[in-house]
């Protein structure tokens, strides 16, 4: 199991609190394959509704890939602080806290917990049709410039009615980043990224990037949850 995170120890969290340093919001990315096709029903009817009720949760998005019924799934959750996330769902799968009885229903698990550098969303937006995950690397020393460009571009697109429903960019290394975005339609992704509906692999601000890889997921929806 791949696990990459920026988890601070309890001592460091306590030190930050004592110094009056606010914890940054975090993006938790859980990618896996279901062990059986029926798991989507468990995810939609049990796990996502329970996750939504957790304190400190800002947003949650879930998606699936095909063509088979056990393709990769993603559950991406945004938390007010790392401490709130840890209290609700834990930091690792070594001692699972959130529905541990269903952990055996997943395989090829990958977990990342990353600090959010940019968050843009539309609170009144409807449910997404797809989830886009962009994993990339900025040119040396240009990640801050890229974050600023993404923030400005997303806000401009949203104001014009052609942007994402939500976008969260998190740092995963000195120059590496992960961007999670939710969209209402493939055509909107193509328009915003300068790609096409058949090959939506392009992205903006490439003069600031060395590499990027997009992945797309069909959104998994439940009543009352923007997932």
């Amino acid at each position: 199991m791949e696990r990459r995170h920026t988890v601070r120890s309890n001592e460091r969290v306590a030190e930050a609190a004592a110094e009056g340093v606010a914890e940054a919001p975090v993006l938790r990315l859980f990618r896996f394959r279901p062990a059986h096709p029926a798991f989507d029903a468990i995810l939609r009817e049990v796990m996502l509704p329970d996750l939504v009720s957790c304190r400190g949760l800002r947003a949650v998005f879930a998606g699936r890939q095909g063509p088979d019924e056990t393709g990769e799934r993603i559950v991406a959750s945004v938390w007010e602080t790392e401490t709130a996330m840890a209290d609700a769902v834990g930091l690792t799968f070594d001692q699972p806290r959130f529905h541990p009885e269903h952990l055996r229903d997943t395989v090829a698990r990958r977990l990342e917990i990353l600090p959010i550098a940019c968050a843009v969303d539309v609170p009144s937006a409807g449910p997404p049709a797809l989830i886009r995950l962009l994993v990339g690397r900025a040119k040396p020393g240009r990640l801050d410039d890229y974050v600023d460009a993404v923030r400005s571009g997303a806000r401009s697109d949203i104001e014009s009615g052609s942007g994402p429903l939500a976008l969260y960019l998190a740092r995963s290394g000195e120059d590496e980043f992960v961007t999670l975005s939710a969209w209402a339609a493939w055509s909107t992704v193509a328009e915003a990224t300068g790609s096409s509906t058949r090959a939506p692999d392009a992205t903006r601000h490439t003069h600031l990037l060395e590499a990027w890889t997009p992945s797309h997921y069909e959104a998994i929806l439940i009543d009352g949850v923007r997932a």
Side-chain angles (χ1 to χ4, degrees):
M1 175 184 67
E2 174 189 339
R3 189 185 70 197
R4 181 173 48 170
H5 56 77
T6 58
V7 174
R8 296 184 294 173
S9 67
N10 292 335
E11 290 78 8
R12 289 187 63 188
V13 171
E15 289 173 3
E19 295 170 0
V21 178
E23 287 189 75
V26 295
L27 175 66
R28 183 182 190 269
L29 296 173
F30 177 31
R31 285 177 281 176
F32 62 94
R33 293 177 67 95
H36 52 82
F39 183 74
D40 279 353
I42 297 173
L43 184 63
R44 185 174 56 250
E45 298 169 9
V46 178
M47 301 187 73
L48 286 174
D50 287 352
L51 186 61
V52 169
S53 68
C54 291
R55 294 184 59 182
L57 182 75
R58 288 177 54 176
V60 58
F61 304 90
R64 53 177 287 163
Q65 288 182 338
D68 60 81
E69 293 185 340
T70 56
E72 184 169 87
R73 305 297 192 261
I74 186 171
V75 176
S77 51
V78 179
W79 299 83
E80 294 289 352
T81 65
E82 188 177 280
T83 299
M85 182 211 68
D87 290 344
V89 297
L91 296 173
T92 72
F93 295 131
D94 298 334
Q95 293 181 321
R97 297 184 56 182
F98 184 76
H99 283 291
E101 72 277 13
H102 293 308
L103 188 61
R104 63 179 179 271
D105 294 321
T106 65
V107 298
R109 293 183 289 271
R110 293 181 286 167
L111 177 65
E112 295 180 88
I113 301 167
L114 305 168
I116 292 176
C118 169
V120 181
D121 58 18
V122 183
S124 60
L130 64 131
I131 310 299
R132 176 179 167 97
L133 187 69
L134 186 74
V135 178
R137 182 176 67 255
K139 292 181 178 178
R142 301 303 303 274
L143 183 54
D144 286 342
D145 294 332
Y146 180 71
V147 171
D148 290 341
V150 168
R151 181 186 295 110
S152 176
R155 288 175 175 171
S156 177
D157 287 343
I158 289 171
E159 289 175 0
S160 69
S162 61
L165 305 177
L167 180 147
Y168 303 93
L169 189 157
R171 299 174 184 269
S172 57
E174 183 175 353
D175 297 307
E176 292 79 27
F177 66 92
V178 175
T179 302
L180 185 285
S181 54
W183 301 82
W186 284 106
S187 58
T188 311
V189 176
E191 181 179 354
T193 62
S195 57
S196 70
T197 55
R198 292 187 177 182
D201 295 336
T203 191
R204 282 179 172 176
H205 318 300
T206 55
H207 64 288
L208 298 172
L209 300 180
E210 284 194 342
W212 69 90
T213 302
S215 300
H216 300 92
Y217 303 81
E218 174 192 1
I220 297 173
L221 305 176
I222 65 171
D223 291 339
V225 178
R226 200 171 82 176

